[in-house]
Amino acid sequence: MLYLWLKAFHIIAMVCWFAGLFYLPRLFVYHAMSTDEVSRERFCIMERKLYRGIMWPSLILTVGLGLWLISLNPSHYFSQGWMHAKLSLVLLLVVYQFMCGAQIKAFTRGENQRGHVFYRWFNEAPVLALLGIVILVVVRPF
Ligand code: HEM
């Protein structure tokens, strides 16, 4: 029973995390295209609030609940190839989140050099991670 509750909240936290992972780089696209100071300042506030208020708490919940799930049966999960692959992709997502934080800092200091096309491509990385992780945990190909 505990297992099912943990899994339900793990998935809910993951959905909240991905809402931020998809929306924040979208804000970077519009931010990089904006030309007036009022819009730029508004984007800085929106980005900071999303990053600190939604993305970090839901990352911590997703990872915390995931580790709790693993602790229910560690020898089983660590013997599975798909779990190792999944954890590697999650690690890349955490790195991606830190990269987002660095972008926010660059925008806030007015030091951003990148254009909207870069952020359109940057936006695709979490899509690939989501595809990979969900296929790994559901299909378990290895
Ligand atoms: C360090 C981070 C994470 C850990 C330790 C972790 C661990 C786990 C564990 C142990 C399960 C239970 C597997 C089972 O017995 O069915 C699980 C389920 C699941 N996880 Fe994660 N997870 C993490 C991050 C993520 C992320 C980032 C996503 C989404 C992109 C995700 C998506 C899922 C899904 C969809 C399930 C349900 C699978 C099913 O019931 O078929 N997890 N996770």
Side-chain angles (χ1 to χ4, degrees):
M1 195 62 176
L2 173 68
Y3 161 75
L4 290 178
W5 280 102
L6 290 179
K7 198 151 90 168
F9 282 97
H10 177 63
I11 293 169
I12 292 166
M14 175 276 267
V15 171
C16 297
W17 186 18
F18 270 85
L21 285 169
F22 287 149
Y23 190 47
L24 182 63
R26 225 33 237 177
L27 286 175
F28 293 158
V29 171
Y30 302 132
H31 195 159
M33 289 169 75
S34 66
T35 48
D36 61 295
E37 207 40 51
V38 176
S39 313
R40 284 186 185 154
E41 268 177 30
R42 191 171 295 133
F43 279 125
C44 282
I45 295 168
M46 289 168 77
E47 287 158 4
R48 205 172 51 238
K49 288 197 166 168
L50 181 63
Y51 188 68
R52 290 191 192 158
I54 305 286
M55 290 172 68
W56 272 107
S58 44
L59 179 156
I60 290 164
L61 268 179
T62 306
V63 172
L65 291 166
L67 294 176
W68 194 348
L69 277 164
I70 287 186
S71 76
L72 299 180
N73 198 347
S75 54
H76 162 70
Y77 288 121
F78 286 127
S79 68
Q80 308 285 313
W82 60 269
M83 180 54 87
H84 290 272
K86 170 186 172 167
L87 292 179
S88 309
L89 287 177
V90 174
L91 189 67
L92 290 179
L93 272 179
V94 175
V95 171
Y96 182 86
Q97 177 137 327
F98 277 108
M99 288 166 73
C100 288
Q103 291 302 323
I104 293 174
K105 273 205 185 106
F107 272 122
T108 309
R109 294 183 183 143
E111 291 167 358
N112 176 54
Q113 304 287 328
R114 298 191 162 109
H116 67 98
V117 178
F118 170 83
Y119 294 111
R120 285 175 201 275
W121 284 107
F122 186 68
N123 205 177
E124 300 306 321
V127 179
L128 298 178
L130 180 65
L131 274 172
I133 293 173
V134 172
I135 290 170
L136 282 167
V137 293
V138 176
V139 182
R140 302 185 180 185
F142 46 85

